[in-house]
Amino acid sequence: MNQQPIESDRKEENNKDAVAEQVESMTLEEKISQMMYVGVQGTSLSEQQRDTIEKEQFGGLFLLEENIESSPQLRQYTTDIIEADQTNDVPLFMGIDEEGGRVSRIPEPVQNFPTNRVIGEANSTELSEDIGQLLAEKVKAYGFNMDFAPVLDVNNNPNNPVIGDRSFGANPAVVSDLGTATMEGIKAEQVVPVVKHFPGHGDTSVDSHINLPEVNKSMETLKEFELVPFRDAIDEGADMVMVAHILYSEIDEEYPSSLSDEVISDMLREELNFDGVVITDDMTMGAITENYGMAEAAVLSIQAGTDMFMMYDAMNGNYGEVKAAILEAVENEEISEDTLDESVERILRLKDEYNLENEAPSDIDEETLNQDITDVINRLP
C-alpha cells in the first residue's frame, strides 16, 4: 500500500501548525510589517535604508527600473539588501518586474526576450513554459525570489497605453494557456510567480500609473473574457495575484479593484476560490495618490481582503504613517487582528513552501544563460 500521500498530507499539516504558531508568537507590529512590500530609492543601499530593513522586518522588497544601472551594481545592491535582512527570522520576498519585452529590469549583458505579443503569435505552451523557466533563472541570478509575471491581461483595447504588447493577445484562451504555462515555468525554478493585473487591465484607455482608469463591464462579461486567464491560473495553483488600480464601476461604483471588497473578497476569493496571497499594485501610482491618502488606501485595502500592499516610496515617512494608521484601525476595531493573522499566515506559508532563505546571489554564468535564452528565441517562428 502506498503511504506517500498520507505522509505528504501529514507533513503539510505539521507545516501549517508551525506557521500558525509562528504567527501567534508575532507582535501586532511584526504582522503589519510582513504585509508591507516596500521599495527603496537610489542605486545603492544607504545606511538609513539598511537600518530600516534590519529594524522593520518587511514582508517584501522590490526594485524598479530607476534602481538599476548595471549588472554588477544590481548584484551588489541585492546582496546588500539581503545582508541587511540577515538578522530577521523571516526572509524577504525579493521582487522585480521581469516580463520580457519592454518590461525587463535585468540589465545587459543578460539577453532579453521578445514581447508577449510575439510569444502569443507562436502560441506554444511548451515554448512559454521554457521562457518562464528562463525568466526565473534570470531573476534568481540577481538575488530575486519573486517575479511579477506573467501578465494575464487580455489585450482587447487598441488604445490601451499600459498593456498592449505586454499581453499574449486578444484571445482569452491563448492568454490563459500561455500565461499559465509561463507561470508553471517560473515555479519550476523555485521563484514565486505573481499573475497580474486582476481583474484585467487590457480594456483600459488610462494608464493607472498616472490616474484611475474606469471600465464599465458586468460580472457576466468579465467571466466570459477578462477573468478566464485568472480563473485557469488559479485552478492550476497560482500562488499570488496582483490586483490592479481600476474602477470596475458595475462591480463597485466607489472603490478601485485594489480597495474593493466586491472585487477581492467576493470575486477573487469567493467566485474564483483563490486562497493564496493577494497583493496590490504599487500604492504610489497616480490611480491611488491622486484620489486617496497612502494610509487611507492601505487601511481600505486590508479591509477589502488584501494580504500585502506595495509601496515604492516607503522610506521617507510613508511607511511609519501607514503602519500607525493600520495599528489605529486595529485598536478601533475597524480591522480585526484575526484578519491580519489570516494574511500573515498566507504570506509565511508561501515563503515556507518556496523554502526562501536570506542568501546572496551565487556567481552567474552569463554565457550559458544567454545561450539558453538564444536557443529558446530561435524556436519562435
Side-chain angles (χ1 to χ4, degrees):
M1 181 178 177
N2 186 359
Q3 296 294 320
Q4 188 63 35
I6 296 174
E7 291 173 5
S8 177
D9 289 346
R10 189 176 296 125
K11 181 180 179 183
E12 183 178 350
E13 184 177 331
N14 289 338
N15 285 343
K16 287 184 179 179
D17 288 344
V19 170
E21 289 176 6
Q22 187 177 7
V23 174
E24 192 174 328
S25 71
M26 295 170 71
T27 66
L28 182 56
E29 289 83 357
E30 288 171 339
K31 293 173 187 176
I32 293 170
S33 292
Q34 275 301 304
M35 296 174 70
M36 301 182 79
Y37 211 126
V38 304
V40 286
Q41 283 65 58
T43 54
S44 62
L45 196 66
S46 71
E47 283 304 313
Q48 182 260 331
Q49 290 173 339
R50 184 186 301 275
D51 291 344
T52 303
I53 292 168
E54 289 177 355
K55 175 185 175 185
E56 296 296 346
Q57 302 182 49
F58 299 114
L61 189 147
F62 66 103
L63 298 184
L64 294 178
E65 186 175 17
E66 50 261 45
N67 298 123
I68 300 167
E69 291 181 329
S70 68
S71 179
Q73 171 266 336
L74 178 57
R75 285 172 59 79
Q76 186 61 56
Y77 204 173
T78 56
T79 297
D80 290 345
I81 291 167
I82 292 165
E83 286 178 354
D85 193 55
Q86 287 290 336
T87 57
N88 296 327
D89 293 333
V90 183
L92 283 165
F93 284 135
M94 288 284 292
I96 194 166
D97 290 295
E98 187 61 33
E99 304 169 9
R102 59 189 162 102
V103 181
S104 175
R105 307 300 184 222
I106 301 303
E108 295 180 345
V110 177
Q111 190 173 352
N112 189 17
F113 283 101
T115 65
N116 282 339
R117 176 182 290 163
V118 171
I119 295 165
E121 290 169 356
N123 196 12
S124 165
T125 55
E126 181 181 357
L127 186 63
S128 289
E129 185 167 352
D130 290 345
I131 289 171
Q133 194 164 343
L134 287 167
L135 287 172
E137 287 187 28
K138 286 178 69 173
V139 303
K140 272 203 311 187
Y142 288 85
F144 298 97
N145 52 40
M146 179 175 287
D147 189 4
F148 301 123
V151 172
L152 296 187
D153 303 301
V154 181
N155 187 38
N156 55 338
N157 185 338
N159 297 318
N160 193 317
V162 67
I163 300 300
D165 61 7
R166 296 168 66 191
S167 168
F168 290 106
N171 185 322
V174 171
V175 174
S176 176
D177 290 345
L178 302 188
T180 299
T182 304
M183 178 187 81
E184 295 289 356
I186 295 171
K187 290 178 73 168
E189 287 295 316
Q190 283 296 105
V191 170
V192 184
V194 182
V195 299
K196 63 185 185 183
H197 307 80
F198 188 84
H201 210 316
D203 194 14
T204 60
S205 55
V206 172
D207 186 345
S208 55
H209 293 87
I210 300 169
N211 217 319
L212 179 63
E214 181 174 351
V215 176
N216 297 307
K217 287 191 173 182
S218 67
M219 185 65 182
E220 289 70 25
T221 302
L222 290 174
K223 284 181 181 179
E224 294 173 359
F225 211 86
E226 276 84 357
L227 296 184
V228 171
F230 292 101
R231 181 194 64 214
D232 292 348
I234 289 166
D235 288 346
E236 292 300 319
D239 293 305
M240 185 177 284
V241 174
M242 180 183 289
V243 182
H245 307 312
I246 303 172
L247 183 67
Y248 274 86
S249 53
E250 290 200 30
I251 309 300
D252 186 335
E253 62 182 14
E254 184 176 4
Y255 293 116
S257 300
S258 53
L259 313 182
S260 171
D261 182 75
E262 284 82 356
V263 171
I264 297 173
S265 293
D266 295 347
M267 188 189 300
L268 182 53
R269 294 287 191 208
E270 297 298 326
E271 183 72 29
L272 300 186
N273 296 313
F274 181 64
D275 192 37
V277 176
V278 175
I279 185 169
T280 69
D281 209 338
D282 187 5
M283 289 292 198
T284 57
M285 290 163 61
I288 296 299
T289 59
E290 293 296 316
N291 297 281
Y292 300 92
M294 189 72 66
E296 175 192 13
V299 169
L300 287 169
S301 188
I302 293 171
Q303 289 173 331
T306 290
D307 298 310
M308 301 190 82
F309 46 93
M310 298 181 75
M311 187 169 62
Y312 178 64
D313 194 9
M315 299 290 183
N316 63 354
N318 280 333
Y319 167 73
E321 180 185 350
V322 168
K323 187 173 182 179
I326 297 169
L327 281 167
E328 184 178 358
V330 174
E331 291 167 1
N332 294 338
E333 299 183 348
E334 296 167 6
I335 296 173
S336 73
E337 191 163 356
D338 287 345
T339 295
L340 301 190
D341 289 350
E342 290 172 7
S343 290
V344 175
E345 187 168 336
R346 289 190 190 101
I347 294 163
L348 297 187
R349 191 184 306 153
L350 184 57
K351 290 182 176 184
D352 186 60
E353 287 172 1
Y354 277 80
N355 298 313
L356 299 194
E357 297 179 354
N358 286 323
E359 288 186 351
S362 56
D363 291 339
I364 176 175
D365 185 348
E366 292 171 349
E367 184 177 350
T368 299
L369 181 55
N370 277 330
Q371 186 58 58
D372 290 342
I373 293 170
T374 298
D375 290 345
V376 168
I377 292 173
N378 286 341
R379 288 159 54 195
L380 289 166

